mmCIF file with all atom_site columns, all heavy atoms in Angstrom:
data_model
loop_
_atom_site.group_PDB
_atom_site.id
_atom_site.type_symbol
_atom_site.label_atom_id
_atom_site.label_alt_id
_atom_site.label_comp_id
_atom_site.label_asym_id
_atom_site.label_entity_id
_atom_site.label_seq_id
_atom_site.pdbx_PDB_ins_code
_atom_site.Cartn_x
_atom_site.Cartn_y
_atom_site.Cartn_z
_atom_site.occupancy
_atom_site.B_iso_or_equiv
_atom_site.pdbx_formal_charge
_atom_site.auth_seq_id
_atom_site.auth_comp_id
_atom_site.auth_asym_id
_atom_site.auth_atom_id
_atom_site.pdbx_PDB_model_num
ATOM 1   N N   . LEU A 1 104 ? 25.014 -22.786 26.422 1.00 0.00 ? 104 LEU A N   1
ATOM 2   C CA  . LEU A 1 104 ? 23.670 -23.162 26.866 1.00 0.00 ? 104 LEU A CA  1
ATOM 3   C C   . LEU A 1 104 ? 23.486 -24.673 26.908 1.00 0.00 ? 104 LEU A C   1
ATOM 4   O O   . LEU A 1 104 ? 22.540 -25.168 27.518 1.00 0.00 ? 104 LEU A O   1
ATOM 5   C CB  . LEU A 1 104 ? 22.614 -22.502 25.977 1.00 0.00 ? 104 LEU A CB  1
ATOM 6   C CG  . LEU A 1 104 ? 22.623 -20.965 26.002 1.00 0.00 ? 104 LEU A CG  1
ATOM 7   C CD1 . LEU A 1 104 ? 21.610 -20.406 25.016 1.00 0.00 ? 104 LEU A CD1 1
ATOM 8   C CD2 . LEU A 1 104 ? 22.378 -20.425 27.400 1.00 0.00 ? 104 LEU A CD2 1
ATOM 9   N N   . ASP A 1 105 ? 24.406 -25.409 26.301 1.00 0.00 ? 105 ASP A N   1
ATOM 10  C CA  . ASP A 1 105 ? 24.377 -26.875 26.342 1.00 0.00 ? 105 ASP A CA  1
ATOM 11  C C   . ASP A 1 105 ? 25.167 -27.441 27.528 1.00 0.00 ? 105 ASP A C   1
ATOM 12  O O   . ASP A 1 105 ? 25.098 -28.639 27.797 1.00 0.00 ? 105 ASP A O   1
ATOM 13  C CB  . ASP A 1 105 ? 24.935 -27.469 25.051 1.00 0.00 ? 105 ASP A CB  1
ATOM 14  C CG  . ASP A 1 105 ? 23.908 -27.477 23.934 1.00 0.00 ? 105 ASP A CG  1
ATOM 15  O OD1 . ASP A 1 105 ? 22.705 -27.609 24.227 1.00 0.00 ? 105 ASP A OD1 1
ATOM 16  O OD2 . ASP A 1 105 ? 24.316 -27.350 22.764 1.00 0.00 ? 105 ASP A OD2 1
ATOM 17  N N   . ILE A 1 106 ? 25.914 -26.613 28.221 1.00 0.00 ? 106 ILE A N   1
ATOM 18  C CA  . ILE A 1 106 ? 26.689 -27.072 29.382 1.00 0.00 ? 106 ILE A CA  1
ATOM 19  C C   . ILE A 1 106 ? 25.719 -27.459 30.493 1.00 0.00 ? 106 ILE A C   1
ATOM 20  O O   . ILE A 1 106 ? 24.727 -26.770 30.744 1.00 0.00 ? 106 ILE A O   1
ATOM 21  C CB  . ILE A 1 106 ? 27.653 -25.978 29.876 1.00 0.00 ? 106 ILE A CB  1
ATOM 22  C CG1 . ILE A 1 106 ? 28.725 -25.708 28.811 1.00 0.00 ? 106 ILE A CG1 1
ATOM 23  C CG2 . ILE A 1 106 ? 28.297 -26.360 31.214 1.00 0.00 ? 106 ILE A CG2 1
ATOM 24  C CD1 . ILE A 1 106 ? 29.624 -24.522 29.118 1.00 0.00 ? 106 ILE A CD1 1
ATOM 25  N N   . GLU A 1 107 ? 26.004 -28.555 31.159 1.00 0.00 ? 107 GLU A N   1
ATOM 26  C CA  . GLU A 1 107 ? 25.165 -29.011 32.277 1.00 0.00 ? 107 GLU A CA  1
ATOM 27  C C   . GLU A 1 107 ? 25.797 -28.600 33.603 1.00 0.00 ? 107 GLU A C   1
ATOM 28  O O   . GLU A 1 107 ? 27.013 -28.703 33.790 1.00 0.00 ? 107 GLU A O   1
ATOM 29  C CB  . GLU A 1 107 ? 24.993 -30.526 32.238 1.00 0.00 ? 107 GLU A CB  1
ATOM 30  C CG  . GLU A 1 107 ? 24.129 -31.000 31.096 1.00 0.00 ? 107 GLU A CG  1
ATOM 31  C CD  . GLU A 1 107 ? 23.815 -32.484 31.168 1.00 0.00 ? 107 GLU A CD  1
ATOM 32  O OE1 . GLU A 1 107 ? 24.354 -33.189 32.044 1.00 0.00 ? 107 GLU A OE1 1
ATOM 33  O OE2 . GLU A 1 107 ? 23.031 -32.943 30.316 1.00 0.00 ? 107 GLU A OE2 1
ATOM 34  N N   . ASP A 1 108 ? 24.955 -28.149 34.513 1.00 0.00 ? 108 ASP A N   1
ATOM 35  C CA  . ASP A 1 108 ? 25.365 -27.776 35.864 1.00 0.00 ? 108 ASP A CA  1
ATOM 36  C C   . ASP A 1 108 ? 24.564 -28.602 36.865 1.00 0.00 ? 108 ASP A C   1
ATOM 37  O O   . ASP A 1 108 ? 23.457 -29.063 36.568 1.00 0.00 ? 108 ASP A O   1
ATOM 38  C CB  . ASP A 1 108 ? 25.072 -26.290 36.125 1.00 0.00 ? 108 ASP A CB  1
ATOM 39  C CG  . ASP A 1 108 ? 25.845 -25.369 35.209 1.00 0.00 ? 108 ASP A CG  1
ATOM 40  O OD1 . ASP A 1 108 ? 27.093 -25.386 35.267 1.00 0.00 ? 108 ASP A OD1 1
ATOM 41  O OD2 . ASP A 1 108 ? 25.205 -24.628 34.431 1.00 0.00 ? 108 ASP A OD2 1
ATOM 42  N N   . ASP A 1 109 ? 25.121 -28.764 38.048 1.00 0.00 ? 109 ASP A N   1
ATOM 43  C CA  . ASP A 1 109 ? 24.396 -29.401 39.148 1.00 0.00 ? 109 ASP A CA  1
ATOM 44  C C   . ASP A 1 109 ? 23.405 -28.380 39.696 1.00 0.00 ? 109 ASP A C   1
ATOM 45  O O   . ASP A 1 109 ? 23.797 -27.369 40.273 1.00 0.00 ? 109 ASP A O   1
ATOM 46  C CB  . ASP A 1 109 ? 25.375 -29.840 40.247 1.00 0.00 ? 109 ASP A CB  1
ATOM 47  C CG  . ASP A 1 109 ? 24.670 -30.557 41.395 1.00 0.00 ? 109 ASP A CG  1
ATOM 48  O OD1 . ASP A 1 109 ? 23.448 -30.781 41.317 1.00 0.00 ? 109 ASP A OD1 1
ATOM 49  O OD2 . ASP A 1 109 ? 25.364 -30.877 42.376 1.00 0.00 ? 109 ASP A OD2 1
ATOM 50  N N   . MET A 1 110 ? 22.146 -28.655 39.488 1.00 0.00 ? 110 MET A N   1
ATOM 51  C CA  . MET A 1 110 ? 21.077 -27.760 39.921 1.00 0.00 ? 110 MET A CA  1
ATOM 52  C C   . MET A 1 110 ? 20.141 -28.532 40.844 1.00 0.00 ? 110 MET A C   1
ATOM 53  O O   . MET A 1 110 ? 19.352 -29.359 40.387 1.00 0.00 ? 110 MET A O   1
ATOM 54  C CB  . MET A 1 110 ? 20.301 -27.219 38.714 1.00 0.00 ? 110 MET A CB  1
ATOM 55  C CG  . MET A 1 110 ? 21.148 -26.447 37.705 1.00 0.00 ? 110 MET A CG  1
ATOM 56  S SD  . MET A 1 110 ? 21.820 -24.903 38.328 1.00 0.00 ? 110 MET A SD  1
ATOM 57  C CE  . MET A 1 110 ? 20.340 -23.920 38.454 1.00 0.00 ? 110 MET A CE  1
ATOM 58  N N   . TYR A 1 111 ? 20.301 -28.279 42.136 1.00 0.00 ? 111 TYR A N   1
ATOM 59  C CA  . TYR A 1 111 ? 19.398 -28.879 43.122 1.00 0.00 ? 111 TYR A CA  1
ATOM 60  C C   . TYR A 1 111 ? 19.413 -30.411 43.051 1.00 0.00 ? 111 TYR A C   1
ATOM 61  O O   . TYR A 1 111 ? 18.378 -31.061 43.125 1.00 0.00 ? 111 TYR A O   1
ATOM 62  C CB  . TYR A 1 111 ? 17.981 -28.333 42.957 1.00 0.00 ? 111 TYR A CB  1
ATOM 63  C CG  . TYR A 1 111 ? 17.953 -26.825 42.835 1.00 0.00 ? 111 TYR A CG  1
ATOM 64  C CD1 . TYR A 1 111 ? 17.747 -26.202 41.613 1.00 0.00 ? 111 TYR A CD1 1
ATOM 65  C CD2 . TYR A 1 111 ? 18.160 -26.019 43.956 1.00 0.00 ? 111 TYR A CD2 1
ATOM 66  C CE1 . TYR A 1 111 ? 17.738 -24.818 41.494 1.00 0.00 ? 111 TYR A CE1 1
ATOM 67  C CE2 . TYR A 1 111 ? 18.157 -24.631 43.840 1.00 0.00 ? 111 TYR A CE2 1
ATOM 68  C CZ  . TYR A 1 111 ? 17.945 -24.042 42.619 1.00 0.00 ? 111 TYR A CZ  1
ATOM 69  O OH  . TYR A 1 111 ? 17.949 -22.669 42.503 1.00 0.00 ? 111 TYR A OH  1
ATOM 70  N N   . GLY A 1 112 ? 20.605 -30.972 42.856 1.00 0.00 ? 112 GLY A N   1
ATOM 71  C CA  . GLY A 1 112 ? 20.753 -32.419 42.818 1.00 0.00 ? 112 GLY A CA  1
ATOM 72  C C   . GLY A 1 112 ? 20.465 -33.057 41.470 1.00 0.00 ? 112 GLY A C   1
ATOM 73  O O   . GLY A 1 112 ? 20.467 -34.283 41.357 1.00 0.00 ? 112 GLY A O   1
ATOM 74  N N   . GLN A 1 113 ? 20.215 -32.253 40.464 1.00 0.00 ? 113 GLN A N   1
ATOM 75  C CA  . GLN A 1 113 ? 19.964 -32.752 39.113 1.00 0.00 ? 113 GLN A CA  1
ATOM 76  C C   . GLN A 1 113 ? 20.948 -32.077 38.161 1.00 0.00 ? 113 GLN A C   1
ATOM 77  O O   . GLN A 1 113 ? 21.572 -31.071 38.502 1.00 0.00 ? 113 GLN A O   1
ATOM 78  C CB  . GLN A 1 113 ? 18.533 -32.433 38.671 1.00 0.00 ? 113 GLN A CB  1
ATOM 79  C CG  . GLN A 1 113 ? 17.468 -33.049 39.538 1.00 0.00 ? 113 GLN A CG  1
ATOM 80  C CD  . GLN A 1 113 ? 16.069 -32.613 39.108 1.00 0.00 ? 113 GLN A CD  1
ATOM 81  O OE1 . GLN A 1 113 ? 15.893 -31.828 38.187 1.00 0.00 ? 113 GLN A OE1 1
ATOM 82  N NE2 . GLN A 1 113 ? 15.073 -33.131 39.796 1.00 0.00 ? 113 GLN A NE2 1
ATOM 83  N N   . ARG A 1 114 ? 21.051 -32.614 36.956 1.00 0.00 ? 114 ARG A N   1
ATOM 84  C CA  . ARG A 1 114 ? 21.893 -32.015 35.920 1.00 0.00 ? 114 ARG A CA  1
ATOM 85  C C   . ARG A 1 114 ? 20.975 -31.291 34.938 1.00 0.00 ? 114 ARG A C   1
ATOM 86  O O   . ARG A 1 114 ? 20.110 -31.910 34.326 1.00 0.00 ? 114 ARG A O   1
ATOM 87  C CB  . ARG A 1 114 ? 22.705 -33.090 35.185 1.00 0.00 ? 114 ARG A CB  1
ATOM 88  C CG  . ARG A 1 114 ? 23.592 -33.951 36.057 1.00 0.00 ? 114 ARG A CG  1
ATOM 89  C CD  . ARG A 1 114 ? 24.751 -33.248 36.682 1.00 0.00 ? 114 ARG A CD  1
ATOM 90  N NE  . ARG A 1 114 ? 25.661 -32.695 35.681 1.00 0.00 ? 114 ARG A NE  1
ATOM 91  C CZ  . ARG A 1 114 ? 26.661 -31.871 35.984 1.00 0.00 ? 114 ARG A CZ  1
ATOM 92  N NH1 . ARG A 1 114 ? 26.883 -31.510 37.219 1.00 0.00 ? 114 ARG A NH1 1
ATOM 93  N NH2 . ARG A 1 114 ? 27.442 -31.404 35.040 1.00 0.00 ? 114 ARG A NH2 1
ATOM 94  N N   . TRP A 1 115 ? 21.148 -29.981 34.840 1.00 0.00 ? 115 TRP A N   1
ATOM 95  C CA  . TRP A 1 115 ? 20.348 -29.172 33.922 1.00 0.00 ? 115 TRP A CA  1
ATOM 96  C C   . TRP A 1 115 ? 21.267 -28.495 32.919 1.00 0.00 ? 115 TRP A C   1
ATOM 97  O O   . TRP A 1 115 ? 22.302 -27.931 33.286 1.00 0.00 ? 115 TRP A O   1
ATOM 98  C CB  . TRP A 1 115 ? 19.600 -28.070 34.648 1.00 0.00 ? 115 TRP A CB  1
ATOM 99  C CG  . TRP A 1 115 ? 18.552 -28.468 35.624 1.00 0.00 ? 115 TRP A CG  1
ATOM 100 C CD1 . TRP A 1 115 ? 18.135 -29.730 35.952 1.00 0.00 ? 115 TRP A CD1 1
ATOM 101 C CD2 . TRP A 1 115 ? 17.782 -27.574 36.426 1.00 0.00 ? 115 TRP A CD2 1
ATOM 102 N NE1 . TRP A 1 115 ? 17.149 -29.668 36.908 1.00 0.00 ? 115 TRP A NE1 1
ATOM 103 C CE2 . TRP A 1 115 ? 16.911 -28.352 37.220 1.00 0.00 ? 115 TRP A CE2 1
ATOM 104 C CE3 . TRP A 1 115 ? 17.738 -26.198 36.562 1.00 0.00 ? 115 TRP A CE3 1
ATOM 105 C CZ2 . TRP A 1 115 ? 16.015 -27.803 38.120 1.00 0.00 ? 115 TRP A CZ2 1
ATOM 106 C CZ3 . TRP A 1 115 ? 16.842 -25.640 37.460 1.00 0.00 ? 115 TRP A CZ3 1
ATOM 107 C CH2 . TRP A 1 115 ? 15.982 -26.436 38.227 1.00 0.00 ? 115 TRP A CH2 1
ATOM 108 N N   . LYS A 1 116 ? 20.864 -28.506 31.661 1.00 0.00 ? 116 LYS A N   1
ATOM 109 C CA  . LYS A 1 116 ? 21.547 -27.688 30.674 1.00 0.00 ? 116 LYS A CA  1
ATOM 110 C C   . LYS A 1 116 ? 21.242 -26.223 30.990 1.00 0.00 ? 116 LYS A C   1
ATOM 111 O O   . LYS A 1 116 ? 20.143 -25.890 31.438 1.00 0.00 ? 116 LYS A O   1
ATOM 112 C CB  . LYS A 1 116 ? 21.088 -28.035 29.258 1.00 0.00 ? 116 LYS A CB  1
ATOM 113 C CG  . LYS A 1 116 ? 21.594 -29.384 28.796 1.00 0.00 ? 116 LYS A CG  1
ATOM 114 C CD  . LYS A 1 116 ? 21.265 -29.612 27.332 1.00 0.00 ? 116 LYS A CD  1
ATOM 115 C CE  . LYS A 1 116 ? 21.879 -30.947 26.902 1.00 0.00 ? 116 LYS A CE  1
ATOM 116 N NZ  . LYS A 1 116 ? 21.741 -31.159 25.464 1.00 0.00 ? 116 LYS A NZ  1
ATOM 117 N N   . ARG A 1 117 ? 22.210 -25.387 30.737 1.00 0.00 ? 117 ARG A N   1
ATOM 118 C CA  . ARG A 1 117 ? 22.043 -23.970 31.069 1.00 0.00 ? 117 ARG A CA  1
ATOM 119 C C   . ARG A 1 117 ? 20.870 -23.330 30.322 1.00 0.00 ? 117 ARG A C   1
ATOM 120 O O   . ARG A 1 117 ? 20.182 -22.466 30.873 1.00 0.00 ? 117 ARG A O   1
ATOM 121 C CB  . ARG A 1 117 ? 23.342 -23.217 30.777 1.00 0.00 ? 117 ARG A CB  1
ATOM 122 C CG  . ARG A 1 117 ? 24.423 -23.573 31.770 1.00 0.00 ? 117 ARG A CG  1
ATOM 123 C CD  . ARG A 1 117 ? 25.705 -22.854 31.504 1.00 0.00 ? 117 ARG A CD  1
ATOM 124 N NE  . ARG A 1 117 ? 26.659 -23.149 32.577 1.00 0.00 ? 117 ARG A NE  1
ATOM 125 C CZ  . ARG A 1 117 ? 27.896 -22.723 32.592 1.00 0.00 ? 117 ARG A CZ  1
ATOM 126 N NH1 . ARG A 1 117 ? 28.358 -21.975 31.587 1.00 0.00 ? 117 ARG A NH1 1
ATOM 127 N NH2 . ARG A 1 117 ? 28.701 -23.039 33.597 1.00 0.00 ? 117 ARG A NH2 1
ATOM 128 N N   . GLY A 1 118 ? 20.629 -23.761 29.090 1.00 0.00 ? 118 GLY A N   1
ATOM 129 C CA  . GLY A 1 118 ? 19.471 -23.248 28.359 1.00 0.00 ? 118 GLY A CA  1
ATOM 130 C C   . GLY A 1 118 ? 18.165 -23.607 29.054 1.00 0.00 ? 118 GLY A C   1
ATOM 131 O O   . GLY A 1 118 ? 17.198 -22.840 29.020 1.00 0.00 ? 118 GLY A O   1
#
Side-chain angles (χ1 to χ4, degrees):
L104 298 176
D105 279 329
I106 294 173
E107 290 187 354
D108 297 298
D109 182 4
M110 301 294 290
Y111 313 104
Q113 299 176 358
R114 303 292 299 170
W115 295 359
K116 289 187 176 187
R117 289 180 175 176

